Amino acid sequence: MAVIRCQACGKPNPDFLDVCQYCDARLKPLEAGPAPEAAPAGDVIRCQACGKPNPAFTEVCQFCDSPLKPQLFGFGETTSAEAGDQIRCQSCGRLNPPFAEACQYCEARLRPLQEIAGDETAGATAAPEPPGSPGGGPESGAQPGMEWMRRLSTEPSAEPDWMWTGAAGEEPEPAAAPSEETPDWMRPFGGEQPAQPAEPPGSPEGGPAMPDWMSSLGGEPTRMETAAPAEEVPDWLRSFGEPPSQPTPSAPAPSRDIPEWLRPPESSEAEAAAPLGETPDWLSTPAQPEAAPPAEEVLDWMRSSGGAPAQPAEAAPPGSPEGGPAFGAEPTSAAEMPDWLSALGGAPAQPEAALPAEEVPDWMRSSGGAPAEPVETAPPGSPEGGPAFGAEPTSAAEMPDWLSALGGAPAQPAEAAPAFGAEPTPAAEMPDWLSALGGAPAQPAEAAPAFGAEPTPAAEMPDWLSALGGAPADVGGFETRPEAAPADETPDWLRSMGISAPTEPVGAPPEAAEAAPDWLSGLGAPRFAAPAEPTSPFGAFTEIPAEAAPAAGEMPDWLSSLQPATPPEVPGAPEPAPASSLFGAMPSPFAAEETPTPLVPPAATAGLALGEMPTWLQSMRPVDVQPSRVPPEVDNYEEKVGILAGMRGVLQAEPAIAKPHKSEVPVQKLEVSEAEAAQATLLAGVLKAEAEEARPVSKRRLQIALPVERWLVFAALALAVIFPWFFAAGFFPAPTTIARETNAAFELVEGLPTDKPVLVAFDYDPAQRGELDPAAQAVIFHLMRRGVSLAGVSTHPAGAGVGQDIFNELALGLKNAYGVSYTYGVNYINLGYIPGGPVGLLQFATNPRSLFNTDFSGAMRVWDAQSAPEMSPVYGLSDFSLIVLVSSTPDAIRAWIEQTQSFAAAAPVVAVVSAGADPLVRPYYEANPPQIKGMVTGIVGAAQYEQRAGLPGGGPASNRWDAIGGGVLAAVILIIAGNLLGALARMTVLRARKR
Amino acid sequence: MPAALLQSLPDIMVFALTLMVFTYLLGDNPLYRLAVHLFVGVTAGYAVLVAYYNVIHPQMLGPLVVSLSQGLAVLTALPTLLPALFALMLSLFLLLKLSPGASWTNRLGSVATAYLVGVGSAVAIGGAITGTLFPQINATFLSLLPQTELGFSPERMVDHFVIIFGTLATLGFFYYGARVRPGRPPERPPLARPVALVGQVFIGVAFGVMYAGALVASLAFFADRLVAMWSILEPFLGGG
Amino acid sequence: MNLTGLGFVLLFAGLILAFIVLGRRRGARPAAFRPLEALQSLPTTVGEAVETGRRLHISLGTGTIGQTDTAAALAGLTVLDQISEVTVVSDKPPVVTASDGAVMLLAQDTLQHVYSRQNAQERYDPTSARVAGLSPLSFGAAVTTMITDDSLAGTVLVGSVGSEAVLLAEAGHRANITTLAGSLDPAAQALLFAAADYPLIGEDLFAGGAYIGRHPGHIASLRAQDIMRLLIGLAILGGALLKTLGILP
Amino acid sequence: MKIRFGNALLTAIAAGVGFVTLLGYFVNAPILRVMRQQLVAWASLLAAVAVIIGALNLLQVHLKKMTRGAPGWFYSLFLILSLVGTLGVGIAAPFVGWGSGPTNTANAWVFHNIQSALGAAIAGLLFFFLVFAGYRLLRRRASLTLVVFVVAAIISLIGAAPLPAGVPDFGLRDLRLWLAQVPAVAGGRGLLLGVALGVIATGLRILLAVDRPYGE
C-alpha cells in the first residue's frame, strides 16, 4: 500500500509520512518500526487478517486497517480494559490475542469461564439499559431499535461509531469507520477481485485475498450478542467456515458465546436488570442463561432462540417447567420487550392484526425451512427449489432464495446463480450474497458475477457478500475434508450459529431480518438436521406437532409427513402441557419461537398456524430448534459430544435434502416472502415504536389514512378562516388591551425627536409581508405622521424592495389621509440592500458611508446634501434617533443587535417581529438593560399598535382580525382533537400490544 | 370589457398564481410545480440584480471602471483601487471554482472559500459572544429578592427564579458528557438527569410558544392572501 | 478592549486544544456522549436510502458562508462529509442542496473529496451539490418538488433555515420519507420539532461531527462546550447571587 | 507535498483572516479595526458574488436536467426562462428607459406581481402544514417535551387568539403572557446560549485549523 490511512481522520496519506497531513495524528506507531517482530510480544496484537503484529494499543491493524480489538460499540472502557498482554495457550503454547477465549490455534480454552462471563456481559454493553433503570428516559429507551436498524444501515465495522458514540474511545478506527473501511470493504468487490470472496479458503489466494472482511470480522468476537446480523454472519462464518490455514478468528467468536450458558451463576450476577427472582429460573434450565446479560438484545435473541428451552426440556424434563415461568417473568423485567413481543405473539389471537401473526410463524418457517427437509424425507436433488425461488419477485425474496441457493448449490449450483439474476433491485443485496451462498459451494466462479453485478450497494453489503461468499466455500471445504476442522470445531460453529441465528429476528433490519436468520439457521440446520433425526430430541419436536394437530386446522398434511419421521419421543410429549400454560401467558414471539419446540401449547401453535399456511411448523421447527438447542448441548462437551459427532457425520446429506423439500411447497414460498415483507415492516415498526421516541410508529399505515385526513383538516382550516372574515365580520372585536412591549414601542415613537432620521430595517422576504407589513406600516405610518424622516435598509436582498413598496405606499397614504407630502430623498430614502448579512451589517454599523454611495435604485447619491439632505447628518448609526428592525426571523434581529450594538448606543431599537420570532426576540427586550426598547409582534401586535395609534379606519391588521380569529380557533380545536385522538390511539395500541 | 381586463391583467395573474400554489394543498401537481419553478427563477434573477446593483457594481466594478476610464490616471489612483482589485481577484477565484475539473482552478477558488470560511467563523464567534452570550448571561443576572417601586414583589421573585433556573436547566439539558457503565449505554450523569428533565419542560414551553407564534404568523400570511384574492375578485363580481 | 470576551475565546480555544491532546494520549479514557436520538438515527436513514437505491437528500439550509450562520453551514458540511462516505458507494449519490453559492461550492468540494477517498472520482457529479433557490422560501419550495423528481429516500437538513423548513418536512411526510432536521434558528427548531421525524434541537445541530464521525476535534470541542457550559451556569448563578445581595447594581 | 503546501496555505489564510477579524472584536487597536473592516467588506462582496454563483449553478443544474430530460425537466424550462427573463429585463431596463437598478419599472412589476404574490402564497401554505403537523404530533411520538409543547402551544394560541365578543379568556391571556415572558424566555435563553456555544466551538475549530472544510 502506498497509502496509509490516518487512524484519526481516515484520510489517506503517503506511506512515507509519519504524521497525518490532515490531522497530524501519528500514522505509524513507534513500535511498528521496520522490524515489527522486534516489538515485545507483550505489546503486540497479531492482526488476524494479515497476521502482522500491531502494538497492543492500536485498535486497528496498521497494515490492513482491520480492527484488532473488539469494539463494544465504542464502549472504550471495556475495550481498553481488554487491551492487555497476549494469552499463551496452555495446550499448544501459542500466543493468542488478549480477548480470545479459545486458542486460535488449538481451540483450547484460554481463560476460566468466569473471566469470559465478565467479558460476556461486557460484550452486551451496547444493548440499551433495561427500561427499569431510572433516568434512562426516552433516549436510552430508544436504543435497541435504533441499534439494530443501525446495523442494517451501516457496514458492520462502521458500526461502532454509528452506535451512540459512547466512548468509541480515541481508537481511531471506529471513529473514522465510514470513511475508512468502506473502501476496504469495497475493494474486494469493487471489481478488483470480485471472485475472491467466493474462493474456497483453502485455495492459495483465497486466504490472503480475504484479509479485509476476515480481519474486520476477526476483530469483533466480543460483539457477538450485540453485534449486527452482518456482524454475526462473519463470526459464525469464520467459526465454521474457517479455512484450516487460518482458524484463528473462529475460536474467539463461538467461545465467547458459550461460556455463559455453561455457567449460569455468572450470568445471573451479570444481569443487573433482570429481576433476581428469575435468575434461579435461568439457572434451572441450561438454555436460559443466554438471557442473563441485561442487554435487551441478549434477551431478544434468547427469546428468538426460543427453541433453547426445548432442548433442556427434552434433555431434562424437570428443567423446562421453571424455564416457563422464567420467560413468563421476563416481560416484567424488560418493559419494552413484552410490547413488541405481544405484538408479534398476540397477533394470532386477533387475525386482523394479522401482520404480526404472520410474521412470527413466518420467519420461523423461513428460518426453519432448510432444516425441515430432513424431516420430510423427500427425494434429494429435485431441481425446482433453485428456479422457484430465483423467480421470486417480492422484496422478501431472500429467504426462499437463499434456500434455493443453499439447496441448489450442492446439487446444481447453476440454479442458484439465475436466482439472483432474477432478483428485483429492492432485494438486490440478498440475491448477491445468495449467489455467493449458492455459487460458492458448487463452483466459486458462480459467486464472482454476483459481486460484479452488484452495482455499488451499501458499504455493508460487500462484506455480507464476502462473508457469505466465503462461508459456503468454507462449508464446502469443511464437508469435503472433515479432518480439516478439529473435532471440537463443530460445537464451536454450531454454537455460534445457535446464537447468531436467533439474534437476527430482533437485531435484523426489515429486509435483512429474514435473510439473516433464515440462512443462518438454514446453514445451521442442515448440519444438525440429519444427525438430529435419529436423536431423541428431534423426534420430540416432530412429535409434538402431532398433538397440536387437532387444534390447528391445516396441520394434518404436514403432520402426515412428520409422523413417519418421528420414532419415539413420547417422553417429550408430557412436557408441553405444563410448559405451555406458562408460555401461553408469555410474549408470543416467544411462544412462536417455542412452537417448534414441544413447549408450545397446541392452542398457540394452532393460532400461529391459522395465520399461516400449514407447512410452516415443520419447516420452522428444526431451524429454530437447532441453533438455540445446539448451544446448551455444546456447552458441556462431555455429555453431548456424542450427538454432535453424530451430527457432524451427517452433514453432507443435509443440503441435498434441503432443496427438494423447498421445491415441494412453492405456495409456501410465496407466502413466506410476502409474510416476511410484512414482518419486516411490522417488526421494524413495532420495535421502533417501542424503542424509539421520535419515529413514526409505522409510516406505511399512515400512508393510506393521511391524505384524506389531511384534506379534511385543510378544508376545516380554510373554512374557519374564510367564514368569519367573509360572513361574520366583527365577530372578533379588535383587541382592547395593549401589550406592554407594544405600548413601549408606541411611547418611544411618540416621544421621538424629529431632527434626526430614523433607520428602518426591512429584514423580511416579500413572502412574510402578509404578517409584517401591517405591523411595519403601523409603526412607520406613525413615524411619518410625526414628521420624522426615514431611511430604509435591508439585510435581505428582497427586503429592500419591500421597503421601497411600503415607503411609497405609506407616503401616498399620508398624502391622501393628511395631505402631508412626504418626498423621497428629503423625508425618506431607501438605502437598499446590505450584503453579507451580519458581516455587512458590521461594516454598515462601523461606517455607513463606506457601504452606500447610492440609494437602492442606484440613481441617487445618498451622501450628497443636495439630493438627499436628510442623510447629510448621518455618519454612524448613533446619528439615527431610532432603529426600527422589521424582521421575520430572530436571526436578523440578533444579527443587528450583535453587530451594531456597540456602534448604536445612542439609538434605541424597536423590533417589529413575526409572532414566530417573538419568544426569541423577547429575551433582548426582557434583558436588563433591554437591548430592545419596544416590540410589535406580528399581526396581533399590529392590531394593538393600530388601536393605540388610532390609525384612521383601523389598519390592515384590524381588517383581518376576524379571519385571524377564526383560523386560530380552528387550529386550536384541530390540534387538541388530533392529539387527543392520537394519544388515545397510541394508548390502545400499546395496551393491545401488552395484551 | 377587454380594456378593464387588460388593465387588471396583473391582478388576474396574481390571482391565478396564488391559486396555482394553493393547489398544493390537494397534493403535488403540475400547477404547483410550475408556480414554484417560476418563483425560484424570478427570485434568483431578482437576487442577482440586487447583488449586482447594490454590491458588486458600487463597491467593486464601479470604482475600477471609473478609474480605468481615466487612462493613465489609474496608476496614480492605484493604491485606492487595491481593495477593489483584491476583491475582484477573490471574486474571480470564487467563480473559477464553478469550472469543473481542473484542480488548479479549484485550488485557487479554495483560496476564496478559505477566506470566507475564516472571516465567517470569526464574525460568527464575535457575534455570538458580544451579541448573544454575554448580553444574555447578563440578562439572567436577576435578583432573587427583586425590589420594585412597590417594594419587594413575590411574583417578580418567582419569575426571576423561574428564568434563572429555567435557563440553567435548558442549558444543562444539552450537557453532552455521559457516564458509561459496563453493560449499559452511555447515560447522562446522575446529576444531569433531573436538570435535563426540567430543561425538557422549558424547551417544550419555549418551542410551544414559538410554534404558536409561527402558526399565527403563517395564518396572517394566509389571511393576507385571502384579502388580496378577494380584493382582486371583488370588482369583477361587483362589475358583473 | 473587551478582555472578558477575549479571555472567553482563549479559554474556549485552549480547552478544545487540551481535549484534543488528551484525546490523543494513548489509553486516553474515551469520551462518551449522552444518547442523541436524531443523530443516532442517521444510519437508519442512510441505510434505507442505500438499500432502496434512492438518493439521500442532504440540505445545508439557507445559511451562508462568511456570516454569522457560517457555523450552521459548517456543521452541515461536517454531517455531509460523514454521510456521503456511506452513500457515495451507492450508485445513487446524495443530493446536496444549499441556498448560497459559497456553501454549494464547499459542498461540492466535500463530495469531491469523499469520492476521491473512495477512488470513485469518475462518478462524482458536480450537480449533485446544487443551489435549490436563492431565497429561503424559494429554497424550501424548490425542495418540495425535488423530493419526487429525484426520488429521495430521506432528507437530512443541517444548517440554518427558517420557517420554510416546514415545507420541506411536509413534503417529506407526504412522500413518506424520513426527515431529520435541525436549524440554527430556534424558532425554526420549534417548527421542525413539530414537523420533522427527527428534530435536532438546540446545539445538537453542531454535535454531528462528534456523534456521527467521532472526529477527535469535534469530540474535543463538544467536551470543551460542556466545560464552558458549566462555567456559564456558574456565572449566571454567581451573577444572580451578587444581584440578590445587592453587590451588583 | 504540493497538496500539503496548498493545504497549509489555505489553512493559513482561513486562520489568519479569522484571527484578525476576531481580534478586531475584542481589541480595539485602530489598525485591527481597519483591517477587520476591510476583511469584512471583502467578505460581503464575496457574499454578493456567491449569489451570482448560486444563480449560475441554478442554471447549470436545470439546463442539465432539461438536456437529459430528467423528471421535471419541463418545469426546469420555466425556471430558466423566468430567471433569464428577470435578469434580462433588469439589464435591458436602463437602455429602454425603465429606470435602472432592481427598482426599474419592469423588475418592480415582476417583483410585485410575481415574486411577492407567489412568495406570499407559498408562505400561506405554511399555516396548513403547521396545523397539520401539530394535529398529528402525539400520534407519532410521545415525550415529556412533546406534551409540554402541545400544552404550551395551545395555551399561547388561545391566549393570542382574538376571542369572540363576550367570550371570557379563562385567564389564558395572562397565562400566555406569563408563558411567553417567563418560562419561554428562560427556555429561549437557554437555547440561545447553547447555540452560541455551538457556534463558537464550530468557529474556533476553523480558526484552530481542526476543521478544514475549504477546498483541496
Side-chain angles (χ1 to χ4, degrees):
Chain A
M1 265 184 168
V3 171
I4 296 181
R5 258 171 218 298
C6 169
Q7 299 174 0
C9 67
K11 301 212 176 72
N13 293 278
D15 54 357
F16 54 81
L17 292 179
D18 289 334
V19 172
C20 171
Q21 48 181 303
Y22 302 90
C23 69
D24 301 329
R26 175 158 291 285
L27 290 171
K28 304 169 187 164
L30 303 163
E31 289 76 351
E37 277 64 21
D43 304 343
V44 171
I45 297 180
R46 196 164 288 279
C47 171
Q48 294 161 4
C50 60
K52 300 211 186 83
N54 293 274
F57 63 83
T58 51
E59 313 292 339
V60 177
C61 173
Q62 41 186 310
F63 304 92
C64 69
D65 277 1
S66 53
L68 291 170
K69 300 176 189 169
Q71 283 112 26
L72 304 177
F73 305 119
F75 287 83
E77 277 75 1
T78 29
T79 316
S80 50
E82 309 215 349
D85 288 1
Q86 291 192 304
I87 304 173
R88 189 170 293 280
C89 169
Q90 288 86 342
S91 59
C92 70
R94 271 181 273 193
L95 278 179
N96 287 275
F99 50 81
E101 265 68 43
C103 171
Q104 28 179 290
Y105 304 98
C106 69
E107 299 298 330
R109 191 158 297 292
L110 290 171
R111 303 190 220 166
L113 295 166
Q114 278 67 8
E115 268 183 51
I116 299 159
D119 300 349
E120 187 53 38
T121 50
T125 35
E129 56 190 339
S133 82
E139 302 97 323
S140 51
Q143 289 326 321
M146 298 188 324
E147 265 172 44
W148 62 262
M149 290 300 288
R150 195 168 298 117
R151 306 229 175 79
L152 145 71
S153 51
T154 66
E155 77 272 349
S157 23
E159 204 162 310
D161 51 284
W162 286 129
M163 304 277 76
W164 37 15
T165 61
E170 307 310 335
E171 78 248 22
E173 183 56 5
S179 58
E180 221 144 329
E181 314 212 342
T182 320
D184 299 339
W185 296 117
M186 296 310 292
R187 218 164 282 123
F189 324 99
E192 292 167 34
Q193 318 151 285
Q196 159 241 90
E199 268 155 344
S203 76
E205 53 276 281
M210 301 209 190
D212 276 346
W213 65 271
M214 289 278 276
S215 56
S216 66
L217 307 172
E220 279 97 48
T222 21
R223 285 209 228 162
M224 274 308 278
E225 284 80 345
T226 50
E231 224 51 71
E232 321 249 0
V233 179
D235 281 331
W236 68 263
L237 278 182
R238 239 192 291 95
S239 55
F240 71 85
E242 206 40 56
S245 58
Q246 254 187 325
T248 326
S250 73
S255 51
R256 177 142 306 270
D257 306 324
I258 304 70
E260 110 193 352
W261 315 42
L262 292 179
R263 178 204 9 75
E266 278 72 2
S267 57
S268 63
E269 297 149 12
E271 86 186 274
L276 290 177
E278 296 174 28
T279 31
D281 299 336
W282 307 123
L283 308 188
S284 65
T285 148
Q288 275 136 4
E290 295 167 309
E296 286 314 338
E297 315 220 337
V298 184
L299 297 182
D300 299 344
W301 62 257
M302 170 210 60
R303 193 174 298 92
S304 50
S305 68
Q311 290 73 30
E314 301 117 18
S320 56
E322 287 91 4
F327 289 110
E330 180 108 344
T332 58
S333 72
E336 64 230 308
M337 298 327 306
D339 296 337
W340 70 268
L341 284 184
S342 51
L344 302 180
Q350 321 106 334
E352 52 286 318
L355 284 190
E358 278 157 60
E359 79 188 344
V360 178
D362 266 337
W363 76 264
M364 295 207 191
R365 173 188 346 104
S366 53
S367 58
E373 279 64 312
V375 184
E376 251 180 56
T377 60
S382 91
E384 292 85 327
F389 299 121
E392 178 58 28
T394 70
S395 62
E398 313 88 347
M399 179 285 161
D401 277 326
W402 75 261
L403 276 182
S404 65
L406 254 189
Q412 62 280 61
E415 224 78 358
F420 326 119
E423 213 49 29
T425 42
E429 43 173 23
M430 306 325 303
D432 292 332
W433 67 259
L434 288 182
S435 65
L437 256 186
Q443 68 266 54
E446 209 67 61
F451 299 113
E454 169 124 349
T456 44
E460 72 179 319
M461 292 331 305
D463 60 72
W464 279 72
L465 299 182
S466 61
L468 293 157
D474 307 341
V475 177
F478 182 19
E479 282 161 1
T480 46
R481 26 183 172 65
E483 73 289 342
D488 47 6
E489 174 77 359
T490 326
D492 281 346
W493 60 260
L494 287 183
R495 254 187 263 112
S496 57
M497 212 171 306
I499 285 102
S500 53
T503 315
E504 310 323 319
V506 188
E511 290 97 353
E514 294 66 41
D518 304 347
W519 59 263
L520 275 181
S521 47
L523 281 178
R527 315 229 136 33
F528 302 103
E533 249 158 337
T535 59
S536 63
F538 199 91
F541 307 144
T542 49
E543 226 286 352
I544 305 319
E547 288 150 25
E554 309 91 326
M555 299 281 174
D557 59 352
W558 61 265
L559 271 183
S560 55
S561 64
L562 290 185
Q563 297 305 26
T566 73
E569 263 22 287
V570 188
E575 292 292 82
S580 64
S581 58
L582 307 163
F583 280 100
M586 187 177 56
S588 62
F590 202 157
E593 309 287 358
E594 294 319 321
T595 38
T597 76
L599 290 185
V600 178
T605 45
L608 293 169
L610 289 174
E612 276 324 295
M613 78 298 296
T615 40
W616 69 271
L617 242 189
Q618 66 191 32
S619 48
M620 102 177 25
R621 175 181 319 96
V623 170
D624 203 26
V625 171
Q626 293 324 345
S628 43
R629 64 171 308 188
V630 177
E633 303 175 353
V634 168
D635 303 346
N636 13 30
Y637 295 107
E638 304 72 30
E639 302 128 38
K640 307 285 176 177
V641 170
I643 298 178
L644 295 174
M647 293 168 156
R648 252 193 26 307
V650 202
L651 280 178
Q652 295 88 325
E654 194 288 321
I657 306 175
K659 176 171 48 22
H661 159 55
K662 265 312 162 197
S663 63
E664 284 170 3
V665 234
V667 193
Q668 163 189 355
K669 179 199 90 289
L670 239 186
E671 306 199 31
V672 171
S673 55
E674 155 194 16
E676 296 204 346
Q679 170 211 357
T681 41
L682 186 105
L683 191 53
V686 175
L687 275 178
K688 278 195 231 150
E690 277 318 311
E692 299 191 7
E693 167 204 346
R695 178 106 178 152
V697 177
S698 83
K699 291 186 155 198
R700 306 282 169 280
R701 210 177 306 126
L702 292 177
Q703 224 169 349
I704 321 303
L706 269 179
V708 183
E709 210 174 350
R710 183 185 276 117
W711 289 331
L712 290 179
V713 172
F714 289 172
L717 285 174
L719 282 180
V721 177
I722 295 171
F723 186 82
W725 165 71
F726 203 73
F727 300 103
F731 184 65
F732 297 94
T736 50
T737 55
I738 311 297
R740 187 158 52 93
E741 65 275 15
T742 313
N743 202 41
F746 174 82
E747 298 301 343
L748 203 53
V749 172
E750 195 59 30
L752 209 60
T754 56
D755 55 348
K756 287 166 141 189
V758 167
L759 182 69
V760 185
F762 296 93
D763 291 338
Y764 61 103
D765 192 89
Q768 272 101 15
R769 297 189 64 170
E771 180 194 20
L772 286 174
D773 274 9
Q777 284 165 346
V779 177
I780 294 171
F781 196 75
H782 185 201
L783 282 167
M784 285 183 167
R785 248 176 27 185
R786 297 215 47 248
V788 181
S789 60
L790 303 165
V793 292
S794 171
T795 59
H796 190 297
V802 175
Q804 193 85 13
D805 268 9
I806 293 186
F807 275 157
N808 296 335
E809 240 170 73
L810 290 181
L812 192 66
L814 196 68
K815 201 176 198 65
N816 302 341
Y818 298 86
V820 182
S821 82
Y822 226 67
T823 53
Y824 189 88
V826 179
N827 306 93
Y828 72 101
I829 193 168
N830 186 13
L831 296 177
Y833 169 53
I834 300 175
V839 181
L841 263 181
L842 188 58
Q843 189 186 359
F844 177 70
T846 45
N847 180 3
R849 295 196 171 220
S850 75
L851 193 62
F852 292 113
N853 302 319
T854 64
D855 71 345
F856 186 46
S857 69
M860 181 179 286
R861 316 209 113 282
V862 177
W863 308 113
D864 150 359
Q866 277 69 30
S867 60
E870 66 154 308
M871 297 303 292
S872 46
V874 175
Y875 288 88
L877 285 190
S878 297
D879 295 326
F880 290 105
S881 62
L882 174 74
I883 299 180
V884 179
L885 305 177
V886 191
S887 169
S888 56
T889 69
D891 287 351
I893 301 278
R894 192 185 316 151
W896 270 93
I897 292 172
E898 288 173 357
Q899 306 298 333
T900 65
Q901 205 174 21
S902 42
F903 303 93
V909 175
V910 166
V912 177
V913 296
S914 152
D918 173 76
L920 287 162
V921 177
R922 196 168 285 277
Y924 297 103
Y925 171 71
E926 301 286 342
N928 179 16
Q931 295 161 276
I932 294 177
K933 296 292 195 306
M935 280 174 69
V936 181
T937 297
I939 201 82
V940 179
Q944 292 175 350
Y945 200 100
E946 286 169 3
Q947 293 299 314
R948 185 71 176 77
L951 292 190
S958 309
N959 300 339
R960 286 159 210 188
W961 203 236
D962 293 309
I964 302 291
V968 174
L969 282 191
V972 170
I973 293 166
L974 280 170
I975 292 177
I976 293 178
N979 285 302
L980 283 184
L981 291 180
L984 284 180
R986 283 182 63 92
M987 281 181 196
T988 47
V989 170
L990 291 189
R991 207 172 285 117
R993 286 216 203 92
K994 286 250 164 41
R995 224 189 297 105
Chain B
M1 50 190 85
L5 259 176
L6 202 65
Q7 186 205 10
S8 60
L9 187 65
D11 290 346
I12 294 171
M13 195 176 62
V14 170
F15 190 86
L17 290 177
T18 313
L19 271 187
M20 284 165 76
V21 170
F22 281 147
T23 55
Y24 188 60
L25 290 176
L26 300 177
D28 199 352
N29 66 72
L31 287 177
Y32 168 75
R33 290 165 160 270
L34 199 65
V36 164
H37 284 78
L38 208 62
F39 179 56
V40 174
V42 172
T43 314
Y46 188 78
V48 171
L49 281 183
V50 173
Y52 179 80
Y53 280 110
N54 278 260
V55 188
I56 297 172
H57 184 270
Q59 290 186 35
M60 186 168 71
L61 299 184
L64 289 175
V65 172
V66 170
S67 50
L68 281 176
S69 61
Q70 306 161 346
L72 283 182
V74 176
L75 301 177
T76 63
L78 208 50
T80 66
L81 289 181
L82 279 181
L85 282 174
F86 185 76
L88 185 61
M89 183 188 73
L90 283 181
S91 312
L92 292 181
F93 285 175
L94 207 55
L95 284 164
L96 273 183
K97 230 168 161 37
L98 267 186
S99 71
S103 68
W104 67 270
T105 57
N106 201 338
R107 197 157 299 145
L108 271 186
S110 302
V111 172
T113 46
Y115 176 90
L116 273 178
V117 170
V119 174
S121 342
V123 173
I125 298 173
I129 291 180
T130 60
T132 300
L133 210 54
F134 286 1
Q136 290 302 322
I137 294 176
N138 237 316
T140 323
F141 290 169
L142 297 170
S143 165
L144 289 177
L145 300 171
Q147 300 295 327
T148 62
E149 50 282 355
L150 310 173
F152 171 75
S153 75
E155 62 278 356
R156 213 31 117 54
M157 185 181 78
V158 175
D159 292 359
H160 287 184
F161 187 87
V162 172
I163 290 186
I164 291 174
F165 289 93
T167 309
L168 290 180
T170 313
L171 202 54
F173 169 83
F174 290 103
Y175 187 86
Y176 286 101
R179 181 178 57 155
V180 181
R181 281 180 293 168
R184 300 296 200 81
E187 49 193 11
R188 297 177 181 275
L191 256 175
R193 273 180 223 151
V195 177
L197 206 65
V198 180
Q200 273 179 306
V201 175
F202 279 92
I203 293 177
V205 174
F207 278 175
V209 174
M210 290 183 220
Y211 167 82
L215 195 76
V216 177
S218 58
L219 173 55
F221 302 154
F222 180 62
D224 172 65
R225 282 301 90 192
L226 274 184
V227 175
M229 286 172 83
W230 174 245
S231 63
I232 293 172
L233 216 55
E234 212 169 9
F236 291 93
L237 300 183
Chain C
M1 187 72 87
N2 178 345
L3 283 181
T4 346
L6 196 57
F8 186 91
V9 174
L10 294 180
L11 175 59
F12 208 144
L15 278 173
I16 294 180
L17 290 177
F19 277 118
I20 291 181
V21 175
L22 287 180
R24 289 245 181 89
R25 234 183 0 161
R26 87 162 46 175
R29 217 170 143 286
F33 295 129
R34 65 170 158 95
L36 182 42
E37 207 253 351
L39 287 179
Q40 285 156 3
S41 77
L42 254 181
T44 309
T45 318
V46 176
E48 280 166 1
V50 173
E51 272 141 26
T52 53
R54 289 181 295 169
R55 312 182 69 174
L56 192 67
H57 173 221
I58 302 165
S59 175
L60 303 180
T62 54
T64 58
I65 289 285
Q67 309 181 6
T68 44
D69 48 7
T70 302
L74 294 177
L77 286 170
T78 310
V79 174
L80 167 63
D81 184 56
Q82 304 293 353
I83 296 182
S84 47
E85 281 288 351
V86 182
T87 51
V88 151
V89 301
S90 129
D91 56 345
K92 291 286 170 58
V95 193
V96 187
T97 56
S99 173
D100 174 70
V103 177
M104 180 271 299
L105 289 177
L106 286 175
Q108 284 184 345
D109 278 341
T110 310
L111 279 179
Q112 206 167 6
H113 288 173
V114 174
Y115 272 98
S116 54
R117 248 181 279 159
Q118 312 261 8
N119 306 319
Q121 294 91 328
E122 70 283 354
R123 292 216 323 275
Y124 164 68
D125 167 12
T127 59
S128 57
R130 59 182 72 154
V131 168
L134 284 181
S135 84
L137 199 68
S138 66
F139 172 82
V143 171
T144 59
T145 63
M146 275 178 49
I147 285 184
T148 42
D149 281 354
D150 296 322
S151 77
L152 302 178
T155 296
V156 177
L157 167 58
V158 176
S160 105
V161 276
S163 54
E164 66 273 8
V166 176
L167 288 173
L168 203 137
E170 166 75 10
H173 185 259
R174 287 187 182 189
N176 195 21
I177 66 175
T178 311
T179 308
L180 185 158
S183 171
L184 182 68
D185 165 14
Q189 286 171 21
L191 305 188
L192 288 170
F193 186 72
D197 296 334
Y198 291 102
L200 272 177
I201 61 177
E203 53 188 302
D204 292 351
L205 184 76
F206 300 98
Y211 271 76
I212 308 168
R214 290 203 62 74
H215 184 296
H218 290 249
I219 291 174
S221 78
L222 217 52
R223 291 168 125 182
Q225 260 167 272
D226 275 352
I227 304 286
M228 299 313 289
R229 188 190 318 280
L230 290 176
L231 291 184
I232 290 176
L234 293 179
I236 290 178
L237 277 179
L241 199 65
L242 293 181
K243 261 283 192 355
T244 314
L245 300 179
I247 300 169
L248 211 66
Chain D
M1 287 298 92
K2 181 172 185 299
I3 294 179
R4 284 201 69 169
F5 173 73
N7 285 336
L9 182 64
L10 292 180
T11 314
I13 292 175
V17 294
F19 271 119
V20 174
T21 316
L22 190 55
L23 279 184
Y25 271 93
F26 303 117
V27 185
N28 51 9
I31 172 67
L32 275 177
R33 210 185 311 112
V34 174
M35 284 178 75
R36 180 182 72 168
Q37 281 182 24
Q38 192 44 261
L39 292 173
V40 161
W42 282 330
S44 52
L45 248 170
L46 282 183
V49 177
V51 171
I52 293 181
I53 289 180
L56 290 176
N57 175 270
L58 208 55
L59 283 176
Q60 181 188 356
V61 168
H62 285 273
L63 277 174
K64 189 174 166 195
K65 227 174 165 182
M66 275 178 59
T67 50
R68 285 191 182 174
W73 65 268
F74 175 72
Y75 307 105
S76 302
L77 172 65
F78 278 81
L79 188 150
I80 293 168
L81 286 182
S82 53
L83 201 169
V84 174
T86 318
L87 267 181
V89 172
I91 296 168
F95 308 102
V96 193
W98 283 342
S100 76
T103 51
N104 71 68
T105 15
N107 282 110
W109 188 87
V110 172
F111 179 80
H112 198 88
N113 293 318
I114 301 182
Q115 190 171 344
S116 297
L118 280 172
I122 294 175
L125 292 175
L126 292 181
F127 171 59
F128 297 87
F129 300 160
L130 277 177
V131 174
F132 192 60
Y135 169 82
R136 58 179 154 83
L137 204 51
L138 286 185
R139 183 183 323 177
R140 298 180 303 146
R141 38 187 169 114
S143 75
L144 174 62
T145 321
L146 264 175
V147 177
V148 177
F149 175 92
V150 172
V151 173
I154 290 170
I155 290 177
S156 38
L157 272 179
I158 299 177
L163 288 176
V167 175
D169 66 329
F170 305 94
L172 282 180
R173 231 172 253 293
D174 306 336
L175 180 54
R176 175 216 165 229
L177 264 173
W178 184 79
L179 276 186
Q181 290 172 5
V182 180
V185 166
R189 204 169 264 165
L191 285 166
L192 283 176
L193 289 175
V195 170
L197 278 180
V199 168
I200 298 169
T202 311
L204 283 177
R205 283 205 303 270
I206 296 292
L207 300 193
L208 298 176
V210 175
D211 280 359
R212 303 183 199 72
Y214 33 78
E216 180 51 35

